Amino acid sequence: MDAAPPKATSDRLLIAILLAIIPISQIPIDAYTPAIPDMITELGASSTLVQNTVSAYVLGMSIGLLPIGIIADARGRKPTLLVCLALLFVASIGCALTTDVYTLLALRFVQGLGGCATMVIVYAIAADRFRGTRLTSISGLLGASWGLAPVIAPAIGGLLVQYISWRGIFVLIAVSAIAAAAAIVFLLPETLAVEKRTPIDLREIGGVLASTLRRRIFIGLTLVFAVFAVAQLLFGVVAPLLYETQLGLTPGMYGLVALLIGAANLAGELSTAHFATRVSPRVLGFAALVSFSAGAIILSLSGVLVGPHFVWITVGGMLALAGCGALCPLAYGLTLGKFDRNLGLVGGLTSAICYLFVAVTMSAASALPDNSQAPLGFVYVGVAVVGVVLLALCLPGARALRRASGAAADLHAKA
């Protein structure tokens, strides 16, 4: 009887640490976006080049996720996190000091390599400790914390740009890396037991990757995660140019608007955390898709009929990002829940596919016209259509779930 409370306290502490660490992977994107117009002027670079510094960070993430997941499976979660945070710190200081956009592109790539660990390893730690619907619910909480970055970071970034400099944003990222490292050293337990570690064997890794990629449900859920992560990040890149250049808002004012839109994204993340153990994934997924689709339609029609307009961009963005906020952690939690070993590798593969997809599409999207919300809305309509197909294929209905449950019960009875 006395042993239960310490275990519960340990779980609560673990979750609290993970919730504090995971936004660090996203802060270098969201705190940074209000600075894009100022950086174009100060660095004397084109808008495409400066926007591609966001893509460089995401590309670094996508390339680093899989090897970091593999290393974390072999060496443990804690030491791998600390090394990556050191890399993030060094790259962030370099970004704060550079005066050349091409050097900034390279440093942002390195930043992405370090920052990605705070996402893939955090989810692997959660999967080490929790399973089933509990893991999906925890995934929603982690997604909500990750979603705090789009809520808070643009507001902070906008104030730093307006009253100090865009370079202060990178100092903030470096300080965050140090604080996270301190929490990991003193508070975070190692959750991967020695007997569950998998040595770095290229043949075995290749076998695991091949078997994972042959599972259609893995591919489908990963694509759900990828297309809605693209939609979420795309808004963060296009919105500053719409609000600041087209509507004349200051960086600080844009940061406050981003706070409002990010709150909608956070509400979506929290809805997954709350409803994951209460309704079926299919109901939760399609409800989120309805919200996203409504936002896509509002952005498209208002862009064509009215042009840049504060209310319609904001309302459309809030609905769309609320849908993204619910769908991304739902897909990620369901994906990890299909596996019980090599969770760092599987999580790294999922995230790597997602962010490679994000990096390629974000780079292409830098050429997207930014004089109206209509092009963004049209892209979102396409994402919604893809989402309908993927969710229909990946999320079983109630009848299929009952059949699966009955088959499992029969198998258990025979055993």
Side-chain angles (χ1 to χ4, degrees):
M1 295 293 292
D2 294 333
K7 178 65 166 61
T9 301
S10 177
D11 282 350
R12 286 196 294 268
L13 176 61
L14 179 75
I15 293 169
I17 296 168
L18 299 184
L19 293 176
I21 293 172
I22 196 169
I24 294 174
S25 65
Q26 187 70 7
I27 287 172
I29 298 175
D30 294 299
Y32 175 79
T33 53
I36 289 175
D38 275 24
M39 292 175 68
I40 291 170
T41 302
E42 185 172 331
L43 296 174
S46 68
S47 62
T48 299
L49 266 178
V50 175
Q51 284 180 301
N52 277 335
T53 60
V54 178
S55 300
Y57 177 84
V58 176
L59 181 62
M61 285 188 71
S62 65
I63 290 175
L65 284 161
L66 184 57
I68 287 170
I70 292 169
I71 293 168
D73 282 341
R75 306 297 182 194
R77 314 302 189 200
K78 190 169 178 174
T80 309
L81 260 176
L82 289 172
V83 170
C84 290
L85 284 169
L87 187 63
L88 177 65
F89 172 80
V90 172
S92 299
I93 294 299
C95 288
L97 298 175
T98 189
T99 57
D100 175 70
V101 69
Y102 294 101
T103 303
L104 182 62
L105 281 165
L107 288 169
R108 287 284 281 170
F109 176 82
V110 176
Q111 242 193 343
L113 290 175
C116 71
T118 62
M119 184 175 77
V120 65
I121 296 179
V122 160
Y123 275 105
I125 290 170
D128 288 339
R129 186 67 68 94
F130 307 102
R131 308 303 299 164
T133 57
R134 178 68 169 147
L135 175 59
T136 305
S137 180
I138 296 298
S139 177
L141 285 175
L142 292 174
S145 183
W146 183 81
L148 279 174
V151 178
I152 298 173
I156 296 173
L159 292 173
L160 287 171
V161 172
Q162 187 165 341
Y163 295 108
I164 302 176
S165 165
W166 59 266
R167 300 178 188 278
I169 295 171
F170 293 107
V171 175
L172 173 66
I173 296 167
V175 170
S176 299
I178 292 175
I184 290 165
V185 168
F186 295 109
L187 299 174
L188 184 70
E190 176 58 64
T191 58
L192 184 63
V194 174
E195 62 272 14
K196 289 192 173 182
R197 297 185 186 184
T198 52
I200 300 177
D201 182 323
L202 295 182
R203 182 176 297 179
E204 183 178 347
I205 290 169
V208 173
L209 290 175
S211 65
T212 301
L213 290 169
R214 282 196 295 267
R215 299 179 66 170
R216 277 185 251 179
I217 189 67
F218 171 84
I219 296 297
L221 288 171
T222 297
L223 288 176
V224 172
F225 181 34
V227 295
F228 287 99
V230 166
Q232 180 173 322
L233 294 174
L234 184 59
F235 189 88
V237 172
V238 175
L241 296 172
L242 290 173
Y243 281 106
E244 295 181 38
T245 304
Q246 299 299 321
L247 298 177
L249 271 66
T250 65
M253 290 171 65
Y254 165 69
L256 294 177
V257 174
L259 191 68
L260 179 64
I261 296 171
N265 180 261
L266 178 61
E269 307 273 6
L270 289 172
S271 71
T272 294
H274 179 74
F275 290 111
T277 57
R278 294 170 170 82
V279 301
S280 72
R282 189 178 184 88
V283 170
L284 185 54
F286 276 101
L289 186 61
V290 168
S291 175
F292 178 85
S293 300
I297 292 169
I298 288 171
L299 289 169
S300 301
L301 291 180
S302 66
V304 171
L305 299 175
V306 181
H309 190 283
F310 179 88
V311 171
W312 295 122
I313 295 172
T314 304
V315 171
M318 289 177 69
L319 287 169
L321 265 65
C324 293
L327 284 163
C328 288
L330 174 67
Y332 202 98
L334 290 173
T335 302
L336 280 185
K338 303 293 180 184
F339 300 86
D340 55 11
R341 288 187 64 83
N342 302 109
L343 296 172
L345 187 155
V346 172
L349 179 62
T350 301
S351 301
I353 293 171
C354 169
Y355 280 97
L356 186 58
F357 191 80
V358 168
V360 172
T361 54
M362 291 282 284
S363 181
S366 64
L368 201 67
D370 51 36
N371 59 346
S372 163
Q373 66 272 29
L376 178 63
F378 295 150
V379 172
Y380 277 9
V381 169
V383 169
V385 172
V386 172
V388 169
V389 175
L390 290 173
L391 292 179
L393 292 173
C394 294
L395 302 182
R399 185 177 300 176
L401 287 172
R402 284 195 298 269
R403 283 200 302 267
S405 177
D410 290 343
L411 185 63
H412 180 73
K414 290 176 182 178

